[in-house]
Amino acid sequence: AQHDPLTPLELGKAARGMLLDGAGRLLIYQFGGIKQAVRNEEDDWDVSPLMFPGYDVLPKALSADGKVMLLEGCRADERVASPERVNQRHVWISTRKEGDWGTPELVPRVGDVSYWNLAMSPNGRWLAWVEFDRGEDGNTITRTRLRIMRRKRKRWGEPENVLDQKGY
């Protein structure tokens, strides 16, 4: 069967940031905003915008069951405090019930952290990221940590170091 593309064919424009659930029935992607595509009974895709009013966030990971999405960004009314903090973003979790995504829930921030290479486990209960400490010049990486954090019931635990080393 011939299927219509999920995005219009426009020169120079491509979808990016694709996240697919384990069953292949829910696709989250960016194309002129965040989109959600749900496979329907006819095996076609129902595409709709996915908005989080009051938040300037981007999807980073999707649980295998398609019920938990990891988001990164800020509230829409937040401003970066200084140029040095440009990479300092918040991490949020949104859960899906009966097809609707909930208001993003802030994952507890661990000190003055910039999250890099953010990842989530397939069940949505573990987060992993890389943290860098920088030298006085603001560029030189003096320490690298790979950290994980687990959600138990409704609370996030303390981050644990998987790797902690000097330099990059």
Side-chain angles (χ1 to χ4, degrees):
Q2 181 72 24
H3 293 280
D4 292 330
L6 291 174
T7 60
L9 300 173
E10 295 180 36
L11 186 61
K13 287 189 177 181
R16 58 188 172 93
M18 271 67 71
L19 305 173
L20 186 64
D21 74 342
R25 302 208 62 82
L26 173 65
L27 175 67
I28 307 292
Y29 62 98
Q30 298 167 55
F31 187 84
I34 305 170
K35 303 281 194 256
Q36 167 178 265
V38 179
R39 193 176 289 273
N40 61 32
E41 298 298 321
E42 292 80 37
D43 212 27
D44 286 324
W45 294 97
D46 294 325
V47 179
S48 61
L50 181 56
M51 295 184 230
F52 296 98
Y55 296 86
D56 184 11
V57 293
L58 291 175
K60 292 296 177 176
L62 184 64
S63 64
D65 65 5
K67 293 181 180 177
V68 179
M69 188 178 351
L70 180 66
L71 302 161
E72 186 178 40
C74 298
R75 286 187 310 274
D77 61 354
E78 283 184 291
R79 298 291 173 248
V80 174
S82 67
E84 298 84 40
R85 305 280 17 117
V86 71
N87 291 315
Q88 191 167 0
R89 297 170 295 273
H90 303 297
V91 176
W92 310 84
I93 295 286
S94 179
T95 55
R96 188 167 67 105
K97 292 180 183 167
E98 299 173 14
D100 294 324
W101 289 100
T103 301
E105 168 198 340
L106 183 64
V107 173
R109 198 167 185 84
V110 185
D112 191 20
V113 173
S114 291
Y115 296 97
W116 293 94
N117 298 322
L118 191 58
M120 182 175 68
S121 66
N123 66 5
R125 295 197 166 277
W126 289 88
L127 299 181
W129 68 92
V130 175
E131 291 178 23
F132 299 115
D133 288 352
R134 299 189 182 270
E136 290 181 19
D137 66 359
N139 277 330
T140 304
I141 295 173
T142 59
R143 183 177 176 194
T144 301
R145 286 182 301 282
L146 173 59
R147 304 193 83 186
I148 59 172
M149 189 164 58
R150 180 178 179 196
R151 184 180 183 128
K152 295 179 183 176
R153 295 183 186 92
K154 298 248 179 204
R155 298 187 61 211
W156 288 99
E158 291 296 315
E160 302 171 31
N161 286 337
V162 175
L163 170 77
D164 190 343
Q165 70 180 29
K166 287 185 180 182
Y168 179 71

